[in-house]
Amino acid sequence: MKTICRIGVGGPVGSGKTALIEELVPRLVQRHLKVLVVTGDAVSTEDADHVRRALKGILAEDRIAGVPAAVRRDAVEDLESRFPDTDVVLIENGAADFVVHVIDVAAGDRIPRKNGPGISRSDILVVNKTDLAPYVDADLGVMAADAAVQRGGKPVVFTNCRTGFGIPELTERILEGALFDVGVRV
């Protein structure tokens, strides 16, 4: 049986998890990976509906599910059984083999210093919405230095999903860190 890599994309509400997934999927598909997406709004399918619209023509709608946290694992297993040729499942705020944690620059440049499990334990930390730094008086250099201390050398990638800044680097980090064994040439 084929091993399917489950990649969790976690972080606070509004940090850009859904936008990040929408940026990653086309790049993974371009690498000939078969992708599934499970979003996780607590009470609606808004994120899944948004992802379906954003990825129309890139990823078939039936490869995207929007489910509350309580049934997320079941949804992942259901999708994997329906699409056994899958290489990777991107799971918003769900249990996974490899974790990408997203924080938002607008939350302030002290966030990495405050630490927490997502900051220190995730496989990759994403500092998203870099374009907002001047508007919220956040210092990206301070965020980078604090994240480096908290993470002990694990990757930190700065991104802006609106412009695509940092997304190629993040894609490469995911390919190298999580998907090296699914036949992708990195």
Side-chain angles (χ1 to χ4, degrees):
M1 181 176 202
K2 180 179 179 178
T3 300
I4 298 173
C5 181
R6 295 177 178 179
I7 298 176
V9 180
V13 171
S15 59
K17 299 176 298 291
T18 303
L20 197 66
I21 288 170
E22 291 170 352
E23 289 295 316
L24 288 171
V25 168
R27 287 166 173 81
L28 297 173
V29 169
Q30 286 174 346
R31 297 292 185 106
H32 307 287
L33 292 169
K34 293 176 180 71
V35 181
L36 299 172
V37 175
V38 177
T39 65
D41 284 337
V43 294
S44 76
T45 60
E46 184 174 341
D47 282 350
D49 295 340
H50 192 278
V51 170
R52 284 186 190 101
R53 285 189 303 274
L55 298 176
K56 190 172 185 82
I58 297 170
L59 191 64
E61 287 188 18
D62 59 349
R63 295 181 76 90
I64 302 166
V67 295
V71 295
R72 197 159 303 136
R73 172 169 242 123
D74 292 341
V76 170
E77 290 172 359
D78 175 60
L79 279 174
E80 289 175 347
S81 69
R82 289 188 329 184
F83 299 99
D85 64 336
T86 297
D87 297 305
V88 60
V89 184
L90 296 174
I91 308 165
E92 189 173 344
N93 284 334
D97 307 312
F98 189 89
V99 177
V100 176
H101 187 76
V102 185
I103 61 172
D104 175 359
V105 167
D109 59 13
R110 297 179 303 149
I111 297 300
R113 182 172 50 250
K114 289 182 173 185
N115 205 352
I119 302 289
S120 60
R121 294 185 193 151
S122 61
D123 295 290
I124 300 174
L125 175 65
V126 173
V127 180
N128 194 26
K129 303 182 185 180
T130 56
D131 58 318
L132 298 180
Y135 303 106
V136 296
D137 200 27
D139 186 327
L140 297 177
V142 166
M143 292 184 90
D146 290 345
V149 168
Q150 298 297 344
R151 293 186 52 75
K154 291 191 283 186
V156 178
V157 179
F158 285 75
T159 63
N160 177 346
C161 291
R162 295 185 69 178
T163 65
F165 171 77
I167 303 299
E169 178 187 354
L170 177 59
T171 303
E172 292 304 314
R173 295 277 188 163
I174 289 170
L175 290 170
E176 293 167 2
L179 299 174
F180 59 88
D181 65 348
V182 294
V184 178
R185 292 182 192 169
V186 293

